[in-house]
Amino acid sequence: MTSAARCLILACGNTLRSDDGIGPLLASWAEDRWRNDSRVRILCDHQWTPELAEEVAAAETVLFIDCSLEQGPGEILLRDLSPASLKPGLVTHHIGAAELLSLAQDLYGKRPRTAQLLTIGPDSIELGEGLSEPVKQALAVAQRMLITTVQCLLNQQPD
Amino acid sequence: MTQTITIDPVTRLEGHGKITIQLNAEGEVADAHFHVTQVRGFEKFSEGRPFYEMPALTARICGICPVSHLLASAKACEAIMSVRIPHTAAQLRRMLNLAQMVQSHALSFFHLSSPDLLLGMESDPAQRHIFGVAAARPDLGRAGIALRRFGQHIIELLGTKRIHTGWVIPGGVAEPLSAAKRDEMLAMMPEAYANIGLALAAYKQIADKFQQEISVFANFPTNYLGLVNEDDSIEFTDGALRLIDTKGNLIEDGITAQRFPEVIGEAVEPYSYTKFVYYKPLGYPEGSYRVGPLARLNIVKKMGTPKADQELAEFKQIAAGPVESSFFYHHARLVEVMYGIEKIEQILADPLILDKHVRATAGVNRLDGAGQIEAPRGTLNHHYRVDDNGKITWANLVVATGHNNNAMNRGVLQAAKCYVRDGKFTEGALNRVEAVIRTFDPCLSCSTHAYGQMPLQMTLLSADGEVVDRLVR
């Protein structure tokens, strides 16, 4: 059920698609890391769907985690995210992080005051379990970046 | 010179498909086909697997209606085991199936079809999606999301996962329901009633604006098939099948899962991977019929819950006999959502719902078994044969989209004849041809047992088979 979180971590990916599993792996690690911290809520799905707009709208801050084909293998990128209108294409089963922010605003009249997107470049997203060597090597850096980012988001004061 | 129009891919469907429209030398529509272009093969690769793996295996056919396959498969396994599951397990499964129906119908109505209904068939395609709905009617957008959450959360509470739960097993369910979970479900009821009330009111306000669509969206007489209870009320999980004719007269009643293969056949057409299902005594294609929400409401005399019965009475006033236009699938879907919410509430009040006896056990006692249920889109039958060790030697799955295949193709032709004139068409016209398919809410992944990405194309073919135009999204 939807509940307001100081920081919502929203990951996506498929552990049966090699490096596409980086999102779920980081989400699982984050579950353990913030298990006793009720300010942090972690959700993970194969894809981001329109239903998640309700969760996003309820959160004070949100950190999206995904793998990105636009980055080199193991390359990590953290960036601020702004709402975006829907790109042409299909919206039944998946929409992007920026579009989710926009949908949250349209449907619920609010969105997190800060939204960030952490992406990791894959070496392979073919069928298979386990991460490639470059992504495995990036995992520890991504985890440290996650800790720092979540801490910053939790320390933010409401407007 | 004749021409062909292709719509490829057809959008806002569950899976991949395309539409081709054949024009004659005068530029008039001569024929049209809905092609399901994906192929999967679950029936074949399940051969050699232990029968008790089949519910979990076949549930992977679909991410929208995995519960349907879980239940039909478990019932087929129980036929092989020759067991009757405990009352509480049957009630819990019924609730799971209804929760899936609610979330699936909410997806179909709010996410896939409400952009056409609320924004208009001719509206800007760049805005004709859930974002457009969110901007135009945020209250309905929120209602859709909340109804999806309602169904999905009940599935999660029962089976620990929203998708591909392993909770349904041959013989019953893996765990009983706790009082805390029951109370959490009951607390969700008021919001669910408010949301379906909002959706029904909105639909009734706008339906009259679609008179032309009503008249050509697969608006023709057919037979109808669906599960019913002995008291003529609607049923999704147990009961037996009833087939009625174009006037509403009974053709055959009491078709059990075991009898299903005797009376139901499957035909193949060269343009689609989805089979064409028909009633054997009437032959193919005369024995074709429709299934799903429209069919179910046409065959029952009552829903069996108070609010849904009021809605059914109103629905039945649309026509003296069976309601024929597939446009009314939308209306029927909302009536069924109301029923689903009410029935779940009734089941939660069952004094035995927290009973701990939820599983029967047995080995292989028969070498052949079948199970059937109503999936959101219509009747689903799983039929297996096993060897003495319980390994699957043969499997056949007859899914809702196959039952509706003939009607979908006829519906596409009917709409194309109305909206494609002199070999010319507009984007809005093609959207209407696609919208005919959306009324059925077909699940193409289920029907071919998709690999890859979703989507439908429309092709316009000349009389000599040349591609004249093609719309690809």
Side-chain angles (χ1 to χ4, degrees):
Chain A
M1 296 294 285
T2 305
S3 61
R6 287 283 297 277
C7 175
L8 172 66
I9 296 175
L10 201 47
C12 79
N14 185 344
T15 55
L16 299 177
R17 281 279 188 176
S18 307
D19 291 338
D20 190 42
I22 186 68
L25 277 174
L26 283 171
S28 175
W29 179 84
E31 284 276 6
D32 285 340
R33 177 69 177 72
W34 285 288
R35 184 173 300 282
N36 299 314
D37 191 336
S38 60
R39 299 172 302 169
V40 182
R41 179 167 166 78
I42 297 145
L43 295 173
C44 183
D45 232 321
H46 282 83
Q47 293 152 333
W48 290 321
T49 55
E51 285 77 29
L52 288 168
E54 192 178 24
E55 291 278 358
V56 171
E60 293 181 33
T61 64
V62 61
L63 173 62
F64 295 96
I65 304 175
D66 197 1
C67 108
S68 170
L69 290 167
E70 292 168 4
Q71 292 162 228
E75 191 181 322
I76 304 169
L77 188 65
L78 178 69
R79 61 189 173 97
D80 290 332
L81 203 63
S82 302
S85 57
L86 189 68
K87 292 173 188 158
L90 297 165
V91 294
T92 316
H93 298 301
H94 58 94
I95 58 175
E99 288 86 2
L100 258 178
L101 288 176
S102 177
L103 193 58
Q105 182 70 47
D106 284 351
L107 283 174
Y108 301 98
K110 55 184 180 174
R111 59 183 165 86
R113 63 174 175 274
T114 305
Q116 294 190 305
L117 174 64
L118 179 70
T119 50
I120 299 97
D123 187 41
S124 166
I125 55 167
E126 293 303 313
L127 289 173
E129 290 182 273
L131 301 178
S132 67
E133 209 46 48
V135 175
K136 260 187 210 164
Q137 287 176 13
L139 198 55
V141 181
Q143 287 166 349
R144 284 199 296 276
M145 200 178 274
L146 197 52
I147 292 172
T148 311
T149 308
V150 169
Q151 205 53 54
C152 286
L153 293 172
L154 289 174
N155 288 340
Q156 280 188 3
Q157 296 300 314
D159 297 332
Chain B
M1 190 177 91
T2 58
Q3 301 175 317
T4 298
I5 303 169
T6 302
I7 301 178
D8 184 7
V10 176
T11 58
R12 289 185 269 141
L13 297 179
E14 304 297 350
H16 308 243
K18 70 172 183 176
I19 291 170
T20 58
I21 301 171
Q22 180 90 40
L23 305 180
N24 61 22
E26 287 71 46
E28 301 300 326
V29 173
D31 205 355
H33 290 305
F34 173 53
H35 311 254
V36 179
T37 54
Q38 58 189 44
V39 66
R40 303 188 79 190
F42 268 77
E43 288 146 319
K44 196 66 187 169
F45 69 65
S46 60
E47 288 176 8
R49 305 306 307 173
F51 79 91
Y52 52 80
E53 286 185 0
M54 290 299 278
L57 190 63
T58 56
R60 265 64 185 181
I61 289 171
C62 187
I64 299 296
C65 48
V67 166
S68 306
H69 290 287
L70 264 177
L71 291 172
S73 181
K75 287 166 80 91
C77 292
E78 285 144 12
I80 289 167
M81 297 156 71
S82 298
V83 294
R84 185 171 175 185
I85 69 170
H87 166 82
T88 301
Q91 287 283 68
L92 291 171
R93 283 184 178 188
R94 186 169 284 120
M95 192 157 62
L96 184 78
N97 201 20
L98 293 168
Q100 180 195 243
M101 181 268 285
V102 169
Q103 68 88 12
S104 178
H105 280 4
L107 178 72
S108 172
F109 182 80
F110 292 97
H111 289 38
L112 306 183
S113 290
S114 73
D116 294 330
L117 301 175
L118 293 171
L119 308 176
M121 298 282 178
E122 298 277 350
S123 59
D124 179 1
Q127 297 298 320
R128 205 170 53 214
H129 46 57
I130 186 69
F131 277 57
V133 172
R137 286 290 304 265
D139 56 336
L140 280 175
R142 290 193 297 269
I145 284 178
L147 281 170
R148 286 264 290 158
R149 171 168 38 77
F150 171 83
Q152 288 179 321
H153 194 55
I154 288 176
I155 293 170
E156 190 174 18
L157 285 170
L158 288 169
T160 70
K161 286 168 74 179
R162 283 183 292 136
I163 302 170
H164 298 147
T165 172
W167 177 70
V168 175
I169 49 178
V173 297
E175 274 185 43
L177 179 66
S178 69
K181 288 182 177 179
R182 177 198 58 192
D183 295 346
E184 191 174 340
M185 292 178 196
L186 286 169
M188 294 158 61
M189 294 296 161
E191 184 191 26
Y193 283 124
N195 286 323
I196 188 58
L198 184 71
L200 275 159
Y203 169 83
K204 290 172 188 173
Q205 270 185 343
I206 57 176
D208 280 348
K209 297 177 187 166
F210 293 91
Q211 289 306 322
Q212 187 179 43
E213 287 82 0
I214 289 169
S215 68
V216 296
F217 274 27
N219 184 27
F220 38 67
T222 61
N223 305 314
Y224 301 93
L225 180 86
L227 284 176
V228 288
N229 287 309
E230 286 179 359
D231 65 355
D232 293 322
S233 64
I234 199 164
E235 179 56 57
F236 286 80
T237 314
D238 294 309
L241 289 168
R242 169 179 293 172
L243 182 69
I244 61 168
D245 68 13
T246 56
K247 303 289 184 198
N249 302 312
L250 185 67
I251 297 177
E252 185 161 350
D253 216 352
I255 306 170
T256 62
Q258 295 297 333
R259 276 204 61 227
F260 184 94
E262 292 173 25
V263 296
I264 303 296
E266 295 175 283
V268 175
E269 296 284 2
Y271 55 82
S272 182
Y273 282 115
T274 297
K275 290 176 277 190
F276 291 72
V277 185
Y278 63 99
Y279 179 64
K280 283 181 181 172
L282 294 177
Y284 176 75
E286 290 75 16
S288 301
Y289 50 82
R290 279 182 272 191
V291 296
L294 183 76
R296 290 190 286 252
L297 265 55
N298 276 333
I299 65 168
V300 299
K301 293 194 170 66
K302 59 184 178 181
M303 302 296 283
T305 59
K307 292 185 176 71
D309 272 331
Q310 285 176 18
E311 294 295 338
L312 179 68
E314 197 174 326
F315 180 86
K316 295 256 185 204
Q317 287 175 0
I318 294 171
V323 176
E324 293 184 344
S325 172
S326 283
F327 185 88
F328 291 112
Y329 267 99
H330 299 307
H331 189 167
R333 220 163 260 130
L334 296 178
V335 177
E336 288 193 340
V337 170
M338 177 65 89
Y339 166 80
I341 297 166
E342 286 186 293
K343 191 68 185 176
I344 288 171
E345 190 173 32
Q346 283 183 358
I347 292 171
L348 287 171
D350 183 331
L352 292 175
I353 200 64
L354 302 181
D355 195 275
K356 307 293 182 205
H357 299 289
V358 292
R359 185 178 182 185
T361 56
V364 176
N365 288 307
R366 293 179 58 202
L367 300 181
D368 187 293
Q372 65 192 12
I373 57 112
E374 285 292 322
R377 293 152 185 85
T379 308
L380 171 66
N381 183 288
H382 280 217
H383 184 194
Y384 309 144
R385 292 183 193 131
V386 296
D387 64 15
D388 288 336
N389 299 313
K391 283 188 179 169
I392 298 286
T393 58
W394 176 87
N396 192 40
L397 317 181
V398 184
V399 305
T401 301
H403 295 282
N404 278 333
N405 208 2
N406 185 270
M408 285 192 292
N409 276 276
R410 288 178 62 197
V412 166
L413 177 60
Q414 185 182 44
K417 282 187 169 175
C418 175
Y419 294 112
V420 179
R421 298 280 175 82
D422 301 325
K424 296 187 177 72
F425 54 89
T426 62
E427 193 283 333
L430 295 192
N431 182 46
R432 287 182 173 90
V433 177
E434 288 184 80
V436 175
I437 300 292
R438 283 186 211 116
T439 62
F440 290 91
D441 190 27
C443 188
L444 310 186
S445 306
C446 285
S447 72
T448 62
H449 321 286
Y451 184 83
Q453 297 194 344
M454 191 141 134
L456 195 144
Q457 63 179 342
M458 189 179 277
T459 308
L460 188 59
L461 293 176
S462 67
D464 22 5
E466 280 182 41
V467 176
V468 173
D469 205 348
R470 174 174 282 152
L471 182 75
V472 180
R473 291 204 175 99

